[in-house]
Amino acid sequence: MTPQPHRTPVQAPPADGPDLTAESSDPYCMAPDTAAELLRGLPWNRLAVLGDSVTAGVMGPLPGYRDRSFADRFTDALAATRPGFAAVNLATPHLLLDEIRDRQLGPALDFEPDVVMVSAGGNDAFRGFDPDAFRAGLASLLTPLAESGARVITIGLFDLARSGLVPPEHAAGMARRFDGLDRVTAGLTHALGGIHVDTHHHPLATDPGIYATDRVHGNARGHAVAFAAIATAVAGDAERRDGGPTGRRNP
């Protein structure tokens, strides 16, 4: 049930597109040292990553271009700010939400993380989407993590339907599923005091160019863009909690 690209695979960047050999040419990406500086003050020493293929690594990037998943990038940025940082990436390709919960929740809790990054639901949307069932399943994954004291970060999903990556006759229904999935994920995450990174409404979310390779889950550019969104959202959340640039914490 892994989604496959509907439009012609992108094997090379378009002539009028960004230079795919240099992330600095892409306004939606972020340099590693910039991200590390944004995240420097966070008191996180242990990170667990849960989810399906989008956090498991890029399978086939364009040569010399963006060969790290957004989970890899986030781990590197945090590790650059503190000695002794530890992380475990439990993400595995093509899992449904209940499989993520059953296979990854226990090992994540055993790791005793300060923060968990969760990307889940994309494969569920391709199998059918019941908002109530999805909410219950996601709660059974996120609630134990939050109750353990870990800060939960959930990652929104680029809209595969509106990006032209499903047959046109299914696009409208699939778009509704992804909209519902994002609403449920964001609502539950906020209720648990976590951070939801809204990539669903990102300026590039409906741009087929976000998928810079010929496999959906090898979307190398998408990983670079998602990482920038994650670092920005997390840093913004930290600033709000600390009371802004003065560093005085809000009550």
Side-chain angles (χ1 to χ4, degrees):
M1 298 303 297
T2 302
Q4 297 296 323
H6 176 67
R7 62 176 61 232
T8 303
V10 178
Q11 299 292 353
D16 58 350
D19 175 10
L20 298 187
T21 63
E23 289 186 9
S24 60
S25 69
D26 193 328
Y28 292 110
C29 296
M30 181 179 292
D33 54 348
T34 301
E37 188 59 35
L38 282 175
L39 303 175
R40 188 169 301 282
L42 295 173
W44 296 338
N45 293 309
R46 297 176 70 81
L47 165 70
V49 179
L50 288 73
D52 61 18
S53 54
V54 293
T55 52
V58 178
M59 293 192 294
L62 293 172
Y65 175 68
R66 299 171 184 160
D67 57 354
R68 304 280 282 168
S69 76
F70 60 72
D72 295 328
R73 294 161 180 267
F74 191 67
T75 299
D76 290 348
L78 287 174
T81 70
R82 58 187 52 78
F85 177 82
V88 57
N89 190 339
L90 301 166
T92 304
H94 315 317
L95 294 186
L96 300 173
L97 175 59
D98 58 351
E99 295 171 319
I100 294 169
R101 180 194 59 216
D102 293 345
R103 299 185 193 185
Q104 299 176 14
L105 177 57
L109 292 172
D110 290 344
F111 185 68
E112 299 183 345
D114 301 314
V115 59
V116 291
M117 179 185 293
V118 180
S119 177
N123 290 323
D124 294 78
F126 281 88
R127 293 289 295 267
F129 180 69
D130 180 326
D132 293 334
F134 181 76
R135 183 181 292 104
L138 189 63
S140 69
L141 173 66
L142 299 185
T143 302
L145 293 167
E147 290 178 343
S148 75
R151 191 77 191 281
V152 174
I153 303 173
T154 56
I155 313 303
L157 299 170
F158 292 119
D159 194 330
L160 301 184
R162 294 191 178 100
S163 294
L165 291 166
V166 297
E169 63 269 25
H170 299 306
M174 189 66 69
R176 287 193 295 271
R177 293 183 186 183
F178 275 93
D179 288 344
L181 187 153
D182 191 72
R183 284 194 298 271
V184 170
T185 303
L188 182 56
T189 303
H190 293 150
L192 293 172
I195 304 169
H196 179 67
V197 181
D198 181 12
T199 52
H200 186 69
H201 298 98
H202 192 281
L204 292 183
T206 60
D207 176 7
I210 196 68
Y211 300 98
T213 66
D214 61 353
R215 297 182 68 176
V216 171
H217 289 297
N219 62 90
R221 186 185 184 204
H223 283 194
V225 170
F227 166 66
I230 293 165
T232 302
V234 170
D237 175 81
E239 183 172 319
R240 286 189 296 273
R241 288 173 173 266
D242 287 342
T246 63
R248 185 168 60 189
R249 184 171 295 277
N250 290 322

